[in-house]
Amino acid sequence: MDYEIVIGLEVHCQLLTETKIFCGCSTHFGNPPNQNSCPVCTGMPGALPVLNRKVVDFAVRAGLATACEIIPNSVFARKNYFYPDLPKGYQISQFELPICVDGYLDIEVEEATKRIGITRIHMEEDAGKLVHPEHEHGVSYVDYNRACVPLIEIVSEPDMRSSAEAVAYLKALRDIVVYLGVCDGNMEEGSFRCDANISLRRWGAPELGTRAELKNMNSFRNVQRAIEYEVERQRDILDGGGLVVQETRLWNVDRGISMSMRGKEEAHDYRYFPDPDLLPVVVDEAWVESVRQSLPELPALKRQRIVADYAIPIADVEVLTADRAMADYFEAVVKLFAQPKAVANWIMVELMKFLNEDKTSITQCPITPQGLAELLSLIDEGAISGKIGKQVFSQMYSAADNDPRQMVEAQGLAQMSDAGELATLVDEIVAANDDKVKEYQQGKVKLFGFFVGQVMKQTKGQANPQMVNQLLKEKIG
Amino acid sequence: MELYNCSLEELWQRLEQGEVSSLEVTRSVFGRIAAVDDTIAAYLETDEKGALAQAEAADECRRKGEKTTPVTGIPLGLKDLLSTKGLKTTCASRMLADYRPEYDATVVARLREAGAVITGKLNMDEFAMGSSTENSAIKATRNPWDLKRVPGGSSGGSVAAVAAATAIATLGSDTGGSIRQPASFCGVVGMKPTYGRVSRYGLVAFASSLDQIGPVTLTVADAALLLGVIAGHDKRDSTSVDLPVADYYGALKKDIKGLKIGVPKEYFGAGLDPEVEAAVRLGCSQLAASGAQLDDVSLPHTDYAVATYYLLATAEASSNLARYDGVKYGFRADDADGLLDMYRKTRAQGFGDEVKRRIMLGTYALSSGYYDAYYRKAQQVRTLITRDFDKVFADCDVLVSPVCPTPAFAFGEKVDDPLSMYLSDILTIPVNLAGLPAISVPCGFTKAGLPIGLQIIAKPFAEETLLRVAWHYEQLAGWSGHRPTLAGEAV
């Protein structure tokens, strides 16, 4: 039978604040276990949480970027359950009154735009991490470095109808939080993680089918695979006349299947209630406005604008805007050297090659936008050839003092464009290779390259290639 | 008079004038502890070595003419739910029997900063849950006025120590009457400040929206002095309020002529001991004679306060006490097989019956399907109770009532009947629900020689008025400062 697939996503983003959500401990990743901890984030008796204002700022940023309404008096609630990585026996989260509600995100699927509703965004603290050493049987350790690290959870409406839509939504959302600077978007390390609620219903059925919740998918690829697996699993059950059970399932990357983690009966009763240790979070109009003013241009709009302003292909724009800093770099160069396509090519071919080799980001790039623009101007003016340009670029990348004009001058790399000098050189080469000229004129046209090569060799590559071509054509036809 | 028998106010003045040293006062108090604490059992742990060092430091400070406070060099005791760095903080529970905090509660830090001498940690009902201190997992504290009777609770140790002169003053905590009720049972002054007036950081939580730390003292003036040291905003407690702290002590003697005093009729209802009623009514007329104006008022939702309290306080407690799971600190059952079994056995063995009862009640009140009927409804009723007070405070400056319907009861009298135990807080609980400041001041004795307390309640953050009325009453009535005669003492 044919079914409609219904998917909703819950996305957790670890926020890029310097300190934790309810205490002053560092959020720095990779410190020795329990180094980033204090009485508050280890749940010592009597310790109390105090909200980090930056977390509210980030949540409002995410809310405004996804067209949410910002709730002026949102409330923190306690989610009660027992687990050793949860030091207080409850997680401080938001429940009845989250900070953002009723937003949406437009995604592009198969050349069409689709609007995905965002139910809510709320703030919460992360849990710690259990460590089970292999060599110590029956012993586990807890590392509370991650406990109390701030998260926002972004909950979508069940508006997605395919795994492709789910992945498109997830990618768009990731782009946004990364652009906003609120999350690093790293799925492998778990700072951007996603749970999926999936159900099937017969076409036209008004009510939703029973859903399963999928967890533990740490890449876009795995989200896609896990959803597709789940859709097939439910289809088989329904086709066989069975009923889908409401449950939580874990995706097993290695085996490419999902397995039941807990059923509805084992579901926790979290006994949410407002946290009496924290006051309602008051976000007034002025605060919202100041966050709105500070929002960067969002990825979708930026792409549209760059395509329109610079007339470069959409495929190039996608590459250039994948990273906000890269897009800024591109625009900074174009501002100084107004040939967008050339700038795009140099960034995508040369610059990205170097950055990738170094495994570094554009923010660490040793070549400034001014430097690159200057280099492109030198090529454009004909002062150096494109080939020499690449050589200079390579030097600029590794040198501390990297003004291209000075480099070209100091190393005598300037292109030879003196027509008289080049003509003399061409005459000499033609005279010295009488036999090759004959062969060429008898039809061995490939030899033209030989003459060009000779000129280049004598000029150490600095001869203006267009002029050399022209002079040779005039001379040997 | 022995130094341990002096009030904080008197010792402060004598220390400032150099008539006595803190070392002498501290030695006197520890001598008293050695003499009578075996009988009273107020202390769970004393820190004589630390206290003597602090006393020497205080004396040194005065010798050098450095800045001092009213508590510099004064021996003070702490209820054993206030976190003290390096000093055991057990909450009178098996669960925390060996727990030593790695940090000081804000009030403790403020006392240390002010140069106080910390004598030790005082007994209480386990996790502050109880009204008699019989729920302590460690020992039973006796009422110094009648050793067969309870001191009240949950701050029974804090109160018995002041009554028995084994501390000059102490700090307790009040969630539903836990300072005021035992103060009335033991004939001392006990005050609960406005919710938010004193930082809760480091106070081991029972019910976070109700808990408040307050002074237990021999006189009202002592309470004013001690509150002045511990009150004030703390950035570590989001519920502490950033309001200036008045000079409570300096304002005590200001006139109370023309002040309007409300007498809530619901607080004089059925079940009120006639001797208690007579003493409190007399207190009211004494206040009227001094120029205050008495008015009968009504707080119509009073009847719902106990039920409301036992839903909200237990709900919060069920969550607050979840952290005692055997994972990080405190007790862990050693016969457990696996994680779930460790949780179950640790909590079954680590908590006493009353604590478990309240965790179960609170868990139930928050459970899916019951939340609206219990927790949410209780929050709504809490609002109604608060509004009752708002209305009467539109016309009155303070309210006066009994603290507890009865004087101190005998050991064992109510342990098997939790509901009757809960009802002993019926006149103190509404104040916590509304977050108001209130005080228990001695107001006489029954024929059997048991102390009676008079409760004064004021508007939010009107501690200055509260203490002023209490001080004037104390001067008129003259019941403060009386000492019980303990076995072995000359009469």
Coordinates of all heavy atoms in Angstrom, one line a residue, chain A residues 37-40 42-51 78 80 82-90 96 142 144 269 271-279, chain B residues 83 99 102-103 195 200-204 208-209 235-239 315-316 319-320 322-324 327-329 339 343 347 363 366-368 371 375-376:
Chain A
S37 N 34.5 21.8 36.6 CA 33.3 21.6 37.5 C 33.4 22.3 38.8 O 34.5 22.8 39.2 CB 33.2 20.1 37.7 OG 34.2 19.6 38.6
C38 N 32.2 22.5 39.4 CA 32.1 23.3 40.6 C 30.9 22.7 41.4 O 30.2 21.8 40.9 CB 32.0 24.8 40.3 SG 30.3 25.2 39.7
P39 N 30.6 23.2 42.6 CA 29.5 22.7 43.3 C 28.2 22.8 42.6 O 27.3 21.9 42.7 CB 29.4 23.6 44.6 CG 30.8 24.0 44.8 CD 31.4 24.2 43.5
V40 N 28.0 23.8 41.7 CA 26.7 24.0 41.0 C 26.6 22.9 39.9 O 25.6 22.2 39.9 CB 26.6 25.4 40.3 CG1 25.4 25.5 39.5 CG2 26.7 26.4 41.4
T42 N 28.1 20.0 39.6 CA 28.1 18.7 40.1 C 27.0 18.4 41.1 O 27.0 17.3 41.7 CB 29.5 18.3 40.8 OG1 29.7 19.3 41.8 CG2 30.6 18.4 39.8
G43 N 26.1 19.3 41.2 CA 24.9 19.0 42.0 C 25.2 18.8 43.5 O 24.6 18.0 44.2
M44 N 26.1 19.6 44.0 CA 26.4 19.5 45.5 C 25.2 20.0 46.3 O 24.5 20.9 45.8 CB 27.7 20.3 45.8 CG 29.0 19.8 45.3 SD 29.4 18.2 46.1 CE 30.8 17.8 45.2
P45 N 25.0 19.4 47.5 CA 23.9 19.9 48.3 C 24.0 21.4 48.5 O 25.0 21.9 48.9 CB 24.0 19.1 49.6 CG 24.8 17.9 49.2 CD 25.7 18.3 48.1
G46 N 22.9 22.1 48.3 CA 22.8 23.5 48.6 C 23.2 24.5 47.5 O 23.0 25.7 47.6
A47 N 23.9 23.9 46.5 CA 24.3 24.8 45.4 C 23.1 25.2 44.5 O 22.2 24.5 44.4 CB 25.4 24.1 44.5
L48 N 23.2 26.4 44.0 CA 22.0 27.0 43.2 C 22.5 27.4 41.8 O 23.6 27.9 41.7 CB 21.4 28.2 44.0 CG 20.8 27.9 45.3 CD1 20.4 29.2 46.0 CD2 19.6 27.0 45.2
P49 N 21.6 27.3 40.8 CA 21.9 27.8 39.5 C 21.7 29.3 39.3 O 20.7 29.8 39.9 CB 20.9 27.0 38.6 CG 19.7 26.9 39.5 CD 20.2 26.7 41.0
V50 N 22.5 29.9 38.5 CA 22.3 31.3 38.1 C 22.4 31.4 36.6 O 23.5 30.9 36.1 CB 23.3 32.2 38.8 CG1 23.1 33.7 38.3 CG2 23.2 32.2 40.3
L51 N 21.4 31.9 35.9 CA 21.4 31.8 34.5 C 22.4 32.7 33.8 O 22.6 33.9 34.2 CB 20.0 32.2 34.0 CG 19.7 32.3 32.5 CD1 20.0 30.9 31.9 CD2 18.3 32.7 32.2
R78 N 12.0 21.7 35.8 CA 12.9 20.6 36.1 C 12.3 19.3 35.4 O 11.1 19.0 35.5 CB 13.0 20.3 37.6 CG 13.7 21.4 38.3 CD 13.8 21.0 39.8 NE 14.4 22.1 40.6 CZ 14.5 22.0 41.9 NH1 14.1 20.9 42.5 NH2 15.1 23.0 42.6
N80 N 12.7 15.5 35.7 CA 13.2 14.6 36.7 C 13.4 13.2 36.2 O 12.5 12.6 35.7 CB 12.2 14.6 37.9 CG 12.1 15.9 38.6 OD1 12.9 16.3 39.4 ND2 11.0 16.6 38.4
F82 N 16.5 9.7 36.9 CA 17.7 9.3 37.5 C 18.7 8.7 36.5 O 18.3 7.9 35.6 CB 17.5 8.1 38.5 CG 16.8 8.6 39.8 CD1 15.5 8.6 40.0 CD2 17.6 9.1 40.8 CE1 14.9 9.0 41.2 CE2 17.1 9.5 42.0 CZ 15.7 9.5 42.2
Y83 N 19.9 9.2 36.4 CA 21.0 8.6 35.7 C 22.3 9.2 36.2 O 22.3 10.4 36.6 CB 20.8 8.9 34.1 CG 21.5 7.9 33.3 CD1 21.1 6.6 33.4 CD2 22.6 8.2 32.5 CE1 21.8 5.6 32.6 CE2 23.3 7.3 31.8 CZ 22.8 5.9 31.9 OH 23.5 5.0 31.2
P84 N 23.3 8.4 36.2 CA 24.6 8.9 36.9 C 25.2 10.1 36.2 O 25.9 10.9 36.9 CB 25.5 7.7 36.8 CG 24.6 6.5 36.6 CD 23.4 7.0 35.9
D85 N 24.9 10.4 34.9 CA 25.5 11.5 34.3 C 24.7 12.8 34.6 O 25.1 13.9 34.2 CB 25.6 11.3 32.8 CG 24.3 11.2 32.1 OD1 23.2 11.4 32.7 OD2 24.3 10.9 30.8
L86 N 23.6 12.7 35.3 CA 22.7 13.8 35.7 C 22.9 14.1 37.2 O 22.2 13.5 38.0 CB 21.3 13.5 35.3 CG 20.3 14.6 35.3 CD1 20.6 15.6 34.2 CD2 18.9 14.0 35.2
P87 N 23.8 15.0 37.5 CA 24.2 15.1 38.9 C 23.0 15.5 39.9 O 23.1 15.1 41.1 CB 25.3 16.2 38.9 CG 25.2 16.9 37.6 CD 24.6 15.9 36.7
K88 N 22.1 16.3 39.5 CA 21.0 16.7 40.4 C 19.8 15.8 40.5 O 18.9 15.9 41.3 CB 20.5 18.1 40.0 CG 21.6 19.2 40.1 CD 21.0 20.6 39.8 CE 20.6 20.8 38.4 NZ 21.6 20.7 37.4
G89 N 19.8 14.8 39.6 CA 18.6 13.9 39.5 C 17.5 14.6 38.7 O 16.4 14.1 38.6
Y90 N 17.8 15.8 38.2 CA 16.9 16.4 37.2 C 17.7 17.3 36.3 O 18.8 17.7 36.6 CB 15.8 17.3 38.0 CG 16.3 18.3 38.9 CD1 16.7 19.6 38.4 CD2 16.5 18.1 40.2 CE1 17.2 20.6 39.2 CE2 16.9 19.1 41.1 CZ 17.3 20.3 40.6 OH 17.8 21.3 41.4
E96 N 6.5 24.1 29.8 CA 5.3 24.8 29.4 C 5.5 26.1 28.7 O 4.7 26.5 27.8 CB 4.4 25.0 30.6 CG 3.7 23.7 31.0 CD 2.7 23.9 32.1 OE1 2.7 25.0 32.8 OE2 1.9 23.0 32.4
V142 N 32.3 9.0 36.0 CA 31.5 10.1 35.5 C 32.4 11.3 35.3 O 33.1 11.7 36.2 CB 30.3 10.4 36.4 CG1 29.2 11.2 35.6 CG2 29.7 9.2 37.0
Y144 N 31.9 15.2 34.6 CA 30.9 16.3 34.6 C 31.4 17.5 33.8 O 30.8 18.6 34.0 CB 30.5 16.6 36.0 CG 29.7 15.5 36.7 CD1 30.2 14.9 37.9 CD2 28.5 15.1 36.2 CE1 29.5 13.9 38.5 CE2 27.8 14.1 36.8 CZ 28.3 13.5 37.9 OH 27.6 12.5 38.5
D269 N 8.2 9.2 33.2 CA 7.3 10.3 33.6 C 8.2 11.3 34.2 O 8.7 11.1 35.3 CB 6.3 9.8 34.6 CG 5.4 10.9 35.1 OD1 5.6 12.0 34.6 OD2 4.5 10.6 35.9
R271 N 7.8 14.2 35.3 CA 7.3 15.1 36.4 C 7.9 16.5 36.3 O 8.4 17.1 37.2 CB 7.6 14.5 37.7 CG 7.2 13.0 37.8 CD 7.3 12.5 39.3 NE 8.6 12.7 39.8 CZ 9.7 12.0 39.6 NH1 9.6 10.9 38.8 NH2 10.8 12.2 40.2
Y272 N 7.7 17.1 35.1 CA 8.1 18.5 34.9 C 7.4 19.4 35.9 O 6.2 19.3 36.1 CB 7.7 19.0 33.5 CG 8.6 18.5 32.4 CD1 8.3 17.5 31.6 CD2 9.8 19.2 32.1 CE1 9.1 17.1 30.5 CE2 10.6 18.8 31.1 CZ 10.2 17.8 30.3 OH 11.0 17.4 29.2
F273 N 8.1 20.4 36.5 CA 7.5 21.5 37.2 C 8.4 22.7 37.2 O 9.6 22.5 37.0 CB 7.1 21.1 38.6 CG 8.2 20.9 39.6 CD1 8.4 21.9 40.6 CD2 9.1 19.9 39.6 CE1 9.4 21.8 41.5 CE2 10.1 19.7 40.5 CZ 10.3 20.7 41.5
P274 N 7.9 23.9 37.4 CA 8.8 25.1 37.3 C 9.9 25.0 38.3 O 9.6 24.7 39.4 CB 7.8 26.2 37.6 CG 6.4 25.7 37.3 CD 6.5 24.2 37.6
D275 N 11.1 25.3 37.9 CA 12.2 25.3 38.8 C 12.1 26.4 39.8 O 12.3 27.6 39.4 CB 13.6 25.3 38.1 CG 14.7 25.0 39.0 OD1 14.6 25.3 40.2 OD2 15.8 24.5 38.5
P276 N 11.9 26.1 41.1 CA 11.8 27.2 42.1 C 13.1 28.0 42.3 O 13.1 29.0 43.0 CB 11.3 26.5 43.3 CG 11.7 25.1 43.2 CD 11.8 24.8 41.7
D277 N 14.2 27.5 41.9 CA 15.5 28.1 42.1 C 15.8 29.2 41.1 O 16.7 30.0 41.2 CB 16.7 27.1 42.0 CG 16.7 26.2 43.3 OD1 16.2 26.7 44.3 OD2 17.2 25.1 43.1
L278 N 15.0 29.3 40.0 CA 15.2 30.3 38.9 C 14.0 31.1 38.7 O 12.8 30.6 38.7 CB 15.6 29.6 37.6 CG 17.0 28.9 37.7 CD1 17.1 27.8 36.6 CD2 18.1 29.9 37.5
L279 N 14.2 32.4 38.4 CA 13.0 33.3 38.2 C 12.7 33.1 36.7 O 13.5 32.7 35.9 CB 13.5 34.7 38.5 CG 14.0 35.0 39.9 CD1 14.5 36.4 40.0 CD2 12.9 34.7 40.9
Chain B
S83 N 25.9 24.5 54.6 CA 27.2 24.0 54.2 C 28.4 24.7 54.8 O 28.5 25.9 54.8 CB 27.3 24.1 52.7 OG 26.3 23.3 52.0
Y99 N 29.4 13.4 55.0 CA 29.6 14.4 53.9 C 30.2 15.7 54.4 O 29.7 16.3 55.3 CB 28.3 14.7 53.2 CG 28.3 15.9 52.3 CD1 29.0 15.9 51.1 CD2 27.6 17.1 52.6 CE1 29.1 17.0 50.3 CE2 27.6 18.2 51.8 CZ 28.3 18.1 50.7 OH 28.4 19.2 49.8
E102 N 32.7 21.1 50.1 CA 33.9 21.7 49.7 C 33.7 23.2 49.6 O 34.6 23.9 49.1 CB 34.3 21.2 48.3 CG 33.3 21.3 47.2 CD 33.8 20.9 45.8 OE1 34.0 19.7 45.6 OE2 34.0 21.8 45.0
Y103 N 32.6 23.7 50.1 CA 32.4 25.2 50.0 C 31.5 25.6 51.2 O 30.8 24.8 51.8 CB 31.7 25.6 48.7 CG 30.2 25.2 48.6 CD1 29.2 26.2 48.8 CD2 29.8 23.9 48.4 CE1 27.9 25.9 48.7 CE2 28.5 23.6 48.3 CZ 27.5 24.5 48.5 OH 26.2 24.2 48.4
Y195 N 11.1 35.8 52.2 CA 11.7 35.0 51.2 C 12.5 35.9 50.3 O 12.0 36.8 49.7 CB 10.7 34.2 50.4 CG 11.3 33.2 49.5 CD1 11.8 32.0 49.9 CD2 11.4 33.5 48.1 CE1 12.4 31.1 49.0 CE2 12.0 32.7 47.2 CZ 12.5 31.5 47.7 OH 13.0 30.6 46.8
R200 N 20.0 31.7 50.0 CA 19.9 30.3 50.3 C 21.1 29.5 49.7 O 21.1 28.3 49.8 CB 18.6 29.7 49.6 CG 17.3 30.3 50.2 CD 16.1 29.6 49.6 NE 16.0 29.9 48.2 CZ 16.1 29.0 47.2 NH1 16.4 27.7 47.5 NH2 16.0 29.3 45.9
Y201 N 22.1 30.2 49.1 CA 23.2 29.4 48.6 C 23.9 28.6 49.6 O 24.4 29.2 50.6 CB 24.1 30.3 47.8 CG 25.2 29.6 47.1 CD1 24.9 29.0 45.8 CD2 26.5 29.5 47.5 CE1 25.8 28.3 45.1 CE2 27.4 28.8 46.9 CZ 27.1 28.2 45.6 OH 28.1 27.5 44.9
G202 N 24.0 27.3 49.5 CA 24.6 26.5 50.5 C 23.7 26.0 51.6 O 24.1 25.2 52.4
L203 N 22.5 26.4 51.6 CA 21.5 25.8 52.5 C 21.0 24.6 51.7 O 20.5 24.7 50.6 CB 20.3 26.8 52.7 CG 19.0 26.2 53.2 CD1 19.1 25.9 54.7 CD2 17.8 27.2 52.9
V204 N 21.1 23.4 52.4 CA 20.7 22.2 51.7 C 19.2 22.2 51.5 O 18.5 22.3 52.5 CB 21.2 20.9 52.4 CG1 20.7 19.7 51.7 CG2 22.7 20.9 52.6
S208 N 12.5 24.6 47.9 CA 13.3 25.8 47.5 C 12.4 27.1 47.5 O 13.0 28.1 47.8 CB 13.8 25.6 46.1 OG 14.4 24.3 46.0
S209 N 11.1 27.0 47.2 CA 10.3 28.2 47.2 C 9.9 28.6 48.5 O 9.2 29.7 48.7 CB 9.1 28.0 46.2 OG 8.1 27.2 46.9
K235 N 24.6 37.2 44.5 CA 24.5 36.9 43.1 C 24.5 35.4 42.8 O 24.1 34.9 41.8 CB 25.5 37.6 42.3 CG 27.0 37.2 42.6 CD 27.9 37.9 41.6 CE 29.4 37.8 41.9 NZ 29.9 36.6 42.4
R236 N 24.8 34.6 43.9 CA 24.7 33.1 43.7 C 23.4 32.5 43.9 O 23.1 31.3 43.7 CB 25.7 32.4 44.7 CG 27.2 32.7 44.3 CD 28.0 32.0 45.4 NE 29.4 32.1 45.2 CZ 30.1 31.4 44.3 NH1 29.5 30.4 43.6 NH2 31.4 31.6 44.1
D237 N 22.4 33.4 44.4 CA 21.1 32.9 44.6 C 20.1 33.8 43.8 O 19.9 34.9 44.1 CB 20.7 33.0 46.1 CG 19.3 32.6 46.4 OD1 18.5 32.3 45.4 OD2 18.9 32.6 47.6
S238 N 19.6 33.2 42.7 CA 18.7 34.0 41.8 C 17.5 34.5 42.5 O 16.8 35.5 42.1 CB 18.3 33.2 40.6 OG 19.4 32.6 40.0
T239 N 17.1 33.9 43.6 CA 15.8 34.3 44.3 C 16.1 35.3 45.4 O 15.2 35.7 46.1 CB 15.1 33.1 44.9 OG1 15.9 32.4 45.9 CG2 14.7 32.0 43.8
A315 N 6.4 18.2 46.7 CA 6.8 18.1 45.3 C 8.2 18.6 45.1 O 9.0 18.0 44.4 CB 5.8 19.0 44.5
E316 N 8.5 19.8 45.7 CA 9.9 20.3 45.5 C 10.9 19.4 46.1 O 12.0 19.2 45.6 CB 9.9 21.7 46.1 CG 9.1 22.7 45.3 CD 9.2 24.2 45.9 OE1 10.1 24.4 46.7 OE2 8.3 25.0 45.5
S319 N 12.1 16.4 44.2 CA 13.1 16.7 43.1 C 14.4 17.1 43.8 O 15.5 16.6 43.4 CB 12.5 17.8 42.3 OG 13.4 18.3 41.4
N320 N 14.3 17.9 44.8 CA 15.6 18.4 45.5 C 16.4 17.2 46.1 O 17.6 17.3 46.1 CB 15.2 19.3 46.6 CG 14.9 20.7 46.2 OD1 15.4 21.1 45.1 ND2 14.1 21.4 46.9
A322 N 16.5 14.2 44.9 CA 16.9 13.2 43.9 C 18.4 13.0 43.7 O 18.9 12.0 43.3 CB 16.3 13.6 42.5
R323 N 19.2 14.1 44.1 CA 20.6 14.1 43.9 C 21.3 13.1 44.9 O 22.4 12.7 44.7 CB 21.2 15.5 44.1 CG 21.1 16.0 45.5 CD 21.5 17.5 45.5 NE 20.6 18.3 44.7 CZ 20.8 19.5 44.3 NH1 22.0 20.1 44.6 NH2 20.0 20.2 43.5
Y324 N 20.6 12.6 45.9 CA 21.2 11.7 46.8 C 21.0 10.3 46.3 O 20.0 9.6 46.6 CB 20.6 11.9 48.3 CG 20.7 13.3 48.7 CD1 19.5 14.1 48.8 CD2 21.9 13.9 48.8 CE1 19.6 15.4 49.1 CE2 22.0 15.3 49.1 CZ 20.9 16.0 49.3 OH 21.0 17.4 49.6
V327 N 25.8 8.2 43.9 CA 26.8 8.3 42.8 C 28.0 9.1 43.2 O 29.2 8.8 43.0 CB 26.2 8.8 41.5 CG1 27.2 9.1 40.4 CG2 25.1 7.8 41.0
K328 N 27.7 10.3 43.7 CA 28.8 11.3 43.8 C 29.3 11.6 45.2 O 30.5 11.9 45.4 CB 28.2 12.7 43.3 CG 27.5 12.6 42.0 CD 26.6 13.8 41.7 CE 25.4 13.8 42.5 NZ 24.3 12.9 42.2
Y329 N 28.5 11.5 46.2 CA 28.9 11.8 47.6 C 27.9 11.2 48.5 O 26.8 10.7 48.1 CB 29.0 13.3 47.9 CG 27.8 14.1 47.3 CD1 26.5 14.0 47.9 CD2 27.9 14.8 46.2 CE1 25.4 14.6 47.4 CE2 26.8 15.5 45.6 CZ 25.6 15.4 46.3 OH 24.5 16.0 45.8
L339 N 23.1 -0.8 38.6 CA 22.8 0.7 38.9 C 21.4 0.9 39.5 O 21.3 1.6 40.5 CB 22.8 1.4 37.5 CG 22.5 2.9 37.5 CD1 23.6 3.6 38.3 CD2 22.4 3.5 36.1
Y343 N 20.6 2.5 43.2 CA 19.7 3.6 43.5 C 18.7 3.2 44.6 O 18.4 3.9 45.6 CB 18.9 4.0 42.3 CG 19.6 4.8 41.2 CD1 19.3 4.7 39.9 CD2 20.7 5.7 41.6 CE1 19.9 5.4 38.9 CE2 21.3 6.4 40.6 CZ 20.9 6.3 39.3 OH 21.6 7.0 38.3
R347 N 18.8 4.7 48.5 CA 17.7 5.6 49.0 C 16.9 4.9 50.0 O 16.4 5.6 50.9 CB 16.9 6.1 47.8 CG 17.8 7.0 46.9 CD 17.2 7.4 45.6 NE 16.0 8.2 45.7 CZ 16.0 9.5 45.8 NH1 17.1 10.2 46.0 NH2 14.8 10.2 45.9
T363 N 6.3 13.0 44.7 CA 6.4 12.4 43.4 C 5.0 12.2 42.8 O 4.8 12.4 41.6 CB 7.1 11.0 43.6 OG1 8.4 11.3 44.2 CG2 7.3 10.3 42.2
L366 N 3.3 15.3 41.4 CA 3.9 15.8 40.2 C 3.7 14.8 39.0 O 4.0 15.1 37.9 CB 5.4 16.1 40.3 CG 5.9 17.2 41.2 CD1 7.4 17.2 41.3 CD2 5.4 18.5 40.6
S367 N 3.1 13.7 39.3 CA 3.0 12.6 38.3 C 2.0 13.0 37.2 O 1.1 13.7 37.4 CB 2.6 11.3 38.9 OG 3.6 10.9 39.8
S368 N 2.3 12.5 36.0 CA 1.5 12.8 34.9 C 0.1 12.3 35.2 O -0.1 11.2 35.7 CB 2.1 12.0 33.7 OG 1.2 11.5 32.9
Y371 N -0.8 16.1 38.1 CA -0.2 17.4 38.2 C -1.2 18.5 38.3 O -1.1 19.4 39.2 CB 0.7 17.6 37.0 CG 1.5 18.9 37.0 CD1 2.8 19.0 37.6 CD2 1.0 20.0 36.4 CE1 3.5 20.1 37.6 CE2 1.7 21.2 36.4 CZ 2.9 21.3 37.0 OH 3.7 22.4 37.0
Y375 N -0.5 19.6 42.1 CA 0.5 20.6 42.1 C 0.0 22.0 41.6 O 0.1 23.0 42.2 CB 1.7 20.2 41.3 CG 2.8 21.2 41.3 CD1 3.7 21.2 42.4 CD2 3.0 22.2 40.4 CE1 4.7 22.2 42.5 CE2 3.9 23.2 40.4 CZ 4.8 23.2 41.5 OH 5.8 24.1 41.6
R376 N -0.7 21.9 40.4 CA -1.1 23.2 39.8 C -2.2 23.8 40.7 O -2.2 25.0 41.0 CB -1.6 23.0 38.4 CG -1.7 24.3 37.6 CD -2.4 24.1 36.3 NE -1.8 23.1 35.4 CZ -0.8 23.4 34.6 NH1 -0.2 24.6 34.6 NH2 -0.3 22.5 33.8

